[in-house]
Amino acid sequence: MTLTYQLVSKKIEHSTSWQQKYREIMLLGKTLPPLADILKTDDALVQGCESKVWMFVEFDLTENALVVIGDSDTRIVKGLLALILALYNGLTPEEVLSVNAYEEFEKLGLISHLSASRGNGINAMVEKIQTLAKQKAR
């Protein structure tokens, strides 16, 4: 797990109500820079998300690390995406494959509050990241 993820997840984890967690997630989404419109292509859309989520997953050979960028058209999903990016960015493919995003979201108390469609969207985003990591793992 990255240091960035540990920092951003701490506020969510220590929030005592769903409203506070929701607010922290939305604030986290505001930290993601918007993607340029030219990058918001159909190829970049994550299939399985109810909201529009554009995501690019690349592998930096010199750093042996995953680089993920993305954006969404809804504030809560953009916040969840920011949490996923913090969880996976900078990890080696092997480290990515060892991270269970569902367990992390459960630890933060998010799973029980997310709709089935949001849960499916999270799974779709994570699957896109995991797929590249599987291709690049040694």
Side-chain angles (χ1 to χ4, degrees):
M1 230 156 314
T2 66
L3 180 59
T4 304
Y5 175 75
Q6 291 171 346
L7 293 173
V8 299
S9 65
K10 192 168 290 245
K11 282 187 178 181
I12 296 169
E13 188 174 11
H14 293 299
S15 296
T16 56
S17 69
W18 170 241
Q19 289 79 12
Q20 286 178 315
K21 289 180 189 293
Y22 192 85
R23 182 176 180 280
E24 290 299 332
I25 292 167
M26 297 228 304
L27 289 172
L28 183 58
K30 286 183 176 185
T31 67
L32 270 187
L35 279 181
D37 287 340
I38 196 163
L39 294 176
K40 294 180 179 177
T41 64
D42 288 343
D43 289 342
L45 277 173
V46 177
Q47 300 303 311
C49 291
E50 191 172 288
S51 301
K52 288 189 175 181
V53 176
W54 299 272
M55 197 165 72
F56 293 90
V57 183
E58 297 295 329
F59 183 71
D60 182 340
L61 288 172
T62 58
E63 297 292 324
N64 190 33
L66 232 55
V67 178
V68 189
I69 61 169
D71 201 353
S72 178
D73 64 346
T74 61
R75 292 186 306 173
I76 187 67
V77 174
K78 190 168 181 168
L80 294 169
L81 174 61
L83 197 55
I84 290 169
L85 298 186
L87 183 60
Y88 288 109
N89 260 328
L91 298 181
T92 66
E94 294 78 12
E95 290 169 333
V96 167
L97 295 174
S98 71
V99 172
N100 185 324
Y102 182 88
E103 282 180 7
E104 292 302 317
F105 276 57
E106 184 68 39
K107 284 181 202 172
L108 297 176
L110 302 179
I111 297 299
S112 62
H113 294 286
L114 297 176
S115 66
S117 63
R118 289 239 165 86
N120 289 339
I122 289 168
N123 287 336
M125 289 182 255
V126 170
E127 182 60 33
K128 187 169 183 172
I129 294 167
Q130 295 269 340
T131 297
L132 182 68
K134 286 175 188 168
Q135 292 170 1
K136 300 295 181 181
R138 296 175 190 187

Short mmCIF file of all heavy atoms in Angstrom, two decimals, residues 12 20-32 74-80:
data_model
loop_
_atom_site.label_atom_id
_atom_site.label_comp_id
_atom_site.label_asym_id
_atom_site.label_seq_id
_atom_site.Cartn_x
_atom_site.Cartn_y
_atom_site.Cartn_z
N ILE A 12 -11.01 9.18 6.08
CA ILE A 12 -12.24 8.42 5.83
C ILE A 12 -12.45 7.40 6.93
O ILE A 12 -13.54 7.26 7.48
CB ILE A 12 -12.21 7.75 4.45
CG1 ILE A 12 -12.15 8.82 3.35
CG2 ILE A 12 -13.41 6.83 4.26
CD1 ILE A 12 -11.84 8.28 1.98
N GLN A 20 -19.99 12.04 7.04
CA GLN A 20 -18.59 12.52 7.09
C GLN A 20 -17.72 11.78 6.08
O GLN A 20 -16.87 12.39 5.42
CB GLN A 20 -18.02 12.34 8.50
CG GLN A 20 -18.54 13.33 9.51
CD GLN A 20 -17.95 13.05 10.89
OE1 GLN A 20 -17.90 11.91 11.34
NE2 GLN A 20 -17.51 14.11 11.56
N LYS A 21 -17.92 10.46 5.97
CA LYS A 21 -17.14 9.67 5.00
C LYS A 21 -17.44 10.16 3.58
O LYS A 21 -16.54 10.35 2.77
CB LYS A 21 -17.48 8.19 5.13
CG LYS A 21 -16.94 7.53 6.39
CD LYS A 21 -17.33 6.07 6.44
CE LYS A 21 -17.01 5.42 7.76
NZ LYS A 21 -15.60 5.29 8.07
N TYR A 22 -18.73 10.38 3.30
CA TYR A 22 -19.17 10.84 1.99
C TYR A 22 -18.50 12.18 1.66
O TYR A 22 -17.98 12.37 0.56
CB TYR A 22 -20.69 10.99 2.01
CG TYR A 22 -21.34 11.18 0.68
CD1 TYR A 22 -21.67 10.08 -0.12
CD2 TYR A 22 -21.66 12.44 0.21
CE1 TYR A 22 -22.28 10.25 -1.35
CE2 TYR A 22 -22.28 12.62 -1.02
CZ TYR A 22 -22.59 11.51 -1.79
OH TYR A 22 -23.20 11.68 -3.00
N ARG A 23 -18.49 13.08 2.64
CA ARG A 23 -17.87 14.39 2.45
C ARG A 23 -16.37 14.25 2.17
O ARG A 23 -15.83 14.89 1.26
CB ARG A 23 -18.09 15.25 3.69
CG ARG A 23 -17.54 16.64 3.56
CD ARG A 23 -17.88 17.49 4.80
NE ARG A 23 -17.34 18.82 4.68
CZ ARG A 23 -16.09 19.17 4.92
NH1 ARG A 23 -15.21 18.26 5.30
NH2 ARG A 23 -15.68 20.42 4.77
N GLU A 24 -15.69 13.40 2.92
CA GLU A 24 -14.25 13.19 2.72
C GLU A 24 -13.96 12.62 1.33
O GLU A 24 -12.98 12.99 0.69
CB GLU A 24 -13.67 12.28 3.80
CG GLU A 24 -13.61 12.89 5.18
CD GLU A 24 -12.73 14.13 5.27
OE1 GLU A 24 -11.77 14.27 4.49
OE2 GLU A 24 -13.02 14.97 6.15
N ILE A 25 -14.82 11.71 0.88
CA ILE A 25 -14.64 11.11 -0.46
C ILE A 25 -14.81 12.18 -1.53
O ILE A 25 -14.04 12.26 -2.48
CB ILE A 25 -15.62 9.95 -0.68
CG1 ILE A 25 -15.25 8.78 0.24
CG2 ILE A 25 -15.63 9.50 -2.13
CD1 ILE A 25 -16.32 7.72 0.36
N MET A 26 -15.83 13.03 -1.36
CA MET A 26 -16.05 14.09 -2.34
C MET A 26 -14.90 15.10 -2.34
O MET A 26 -14.48 15.57 -3.39
CB MET A 26 -17.39 14.76 -2.09
CG MET A 26 -18.52 13.77 -2.27
SD MET A 26 -19.89 14.26 -3.25
CE MET A 26 -20.45 15.73 -2.52
N LEU A 27 -14.37 15.42 -1.16
CA LEU A 27 -13.21 16.32 -1.08
C LEU A 27 -11.99 15.69 -1.76
O LEU A 27 -11.22 16.37 -2.43
CB LEU A 27 -12.89 16.66 0.37
CG LEU A 27 -13.88 17.58 1.08
CD1 LEU A 27 -13.56 17.69 2.56
CD2 LEU A 27 -13.90 18.96 0.42
N LEU A 28 -11.84 14.39 -1.58
CA LEU A 28 -10.74 13.67 -2.22
C LEU A 28 -10.86 13.76 -3.75
O LEU A 28 -9.87 13.95 -4.45
CB LEU A 28 -10.72 12.22 -1.76
CG LEU A 28 -9.62 11.33 -2.26
CD1 LEU A 28 -8.25 11.89 -1.90
CD2 LEU A 28 -9.77 9.93 -1.68
N GLY A 29 -12.08 13.64 -4.25
CA GLY A 29 -12.31 13.75 -5.69
C GLY A 29 -11.90 15.09 -6.24
O GLY A 29 -11.44 15.19 -7.38
N LYS A 30 -12.03 16.13 -5.44
CA LYS A 30 -11.64 17.48 -5.89
C LYS A 30 -10.13 17.59 -6.08
O LYS A 30 -9.65 18.50 -6.76
CB LYS A 30 -12.11 18.53 -4.89
CG LYS A 30 -13.59 18.76 -4.94
CD LYS A 30 -13.99 19.86 -3.98
CE LYS A 30 -15.47 20.16 -4.10
NZ LYS A 30 -15.85 21.30 -3.26
N THR A 31 -9.37 16.69 -5.47
CA THR A 31 -7.91 16.73 -5.61
C THR A 31 -7.43 16.15 -6.94
O THR A 31 -6.28 16.38 -7.33
CB THR A 31 -7.19 15.98 -4.46
OG1 THR A 31 -7.48 14.58 -4.56
CG2 THR A 31 -7.62 16.52 -3.11
N LEU A 32 -8.29 15.39 -7.61
CA LEU A 32 -7.90 14.81 -8.91
C LEU A 32 -7.97 15.89 -9.98
O LEU A 32 -9.01 16.52 -10.14
CB LEU A 32 -8.86 13.69 -9.31
CG LEU A 32 -8.58 12.28 -8.89
CD1 LEU A 32 -9.57 11.33 -9.56
CD2 LEU A 32 -7.17 11.85 -9.15
N THR A 74 -19.18 12.38 -12.10
CA THR A 74 -19.90 12.60 -10.84
C THR A 74 -18.90 12.75 -9.71
O THR A 74 -17.84 12.11 -9.70
CB THR A 74 -20.88 11.44 -10.52
OG1 THR A 74 -20.14 10.23 -10.39
CG2 THR A 74 -21.93 11.29 -11.61
N ARG A 75 -19.25 13.59 -8.74
CA ARG A 75 -18.31 13.91 -7.66
C ARG A 75 -17.99 12.72 -6.76
O ARG A 75 -16.84 12.51 -6.41
CB ARG A 75 -18.85 15.07 -6.83
CG ARG A 75 -18.86 16.36 -7.62
CD ARG A 75 -19.24 17.55 -6.80
NE ARG A 75 -20.50 17.34 -6.12
CZ ARG A 75 -21.01 18.17 -5.24
NH1 ARG A 75 -20.37 19.27 -4.92
NH2 ARG A 75 -22.16 17.93 -4.65
N ILE A 76 -18.99 11.94 -6.38
CA ILE A 76 -18.73 10.82 -5.47
C ILE A 76 -17.88 9.75 -6.17
O ILE A 76 -16.94 9.21 -5.58
CB ILE A 76 -20.03 10.21 -4.88
CG1 ILE A 76 -19.71 9.17 -3.82
CG2 ILE A 76 -20.92 9.64 -5.96
CD1 ILE A 76 -19.07 9.68 -2.56
N VAL A 77 -18.18 9.48 -7.43
CA VAL A 77 -17.40 8.47 -8.16
C VAL A 77 -15.98 8.97 -8.40
O VAL A 77 -15.02 8.21 -8.30
CB VAL A 77 -18.09 8.08 -9.49
CG1 VAL A 77 -17.21 7.14 -10.31
CG2 VAL A 77 -19.43 7.42 -9.18
N LYS A 78 -15.82 10.27 -8.64
CA LYS A 78 -14.47 10.83 -8.80
C LYS A 78 -13.68 10.66 -7.50
O LYS A 78 -12.49 10.35 -7.52
CB LYS A 78 -14.55 12.30 -9.20
CG LYS A 78 -13.22 12.87 -9.61
CD LYS A 78 -13.36 14.23 -10.28
CE LYS A 78 -12.01 14.74 -10.68
NZ LYS A 78 -12.09 15.89 -11.58
N GLY A 79 -14.35 10.81 -6.37
CA GLY A 79 -13.69 10.59 -5.08
C GLY A 79 -13.30 9.14 -4.88
O GLY A 79 -12.21 8.84 -4.40
N LEU A 80 -14.19 8.22 -5.24
CA LEU A 80 -13.88 6.79 -5.14
C LEU A 80 -12.73 6.43 -6.08
O LEU A 80 -11.84 5.65 -5.73
CB LEU A 80 -15.12 5.95 -5.45
CG LEU A 80 -16.26 6.08 -4.43
CD1 LEU A 80 -17.54 5.44 -4.97
CD2 LEU A 80 -15.88 5.48 -3.09
#
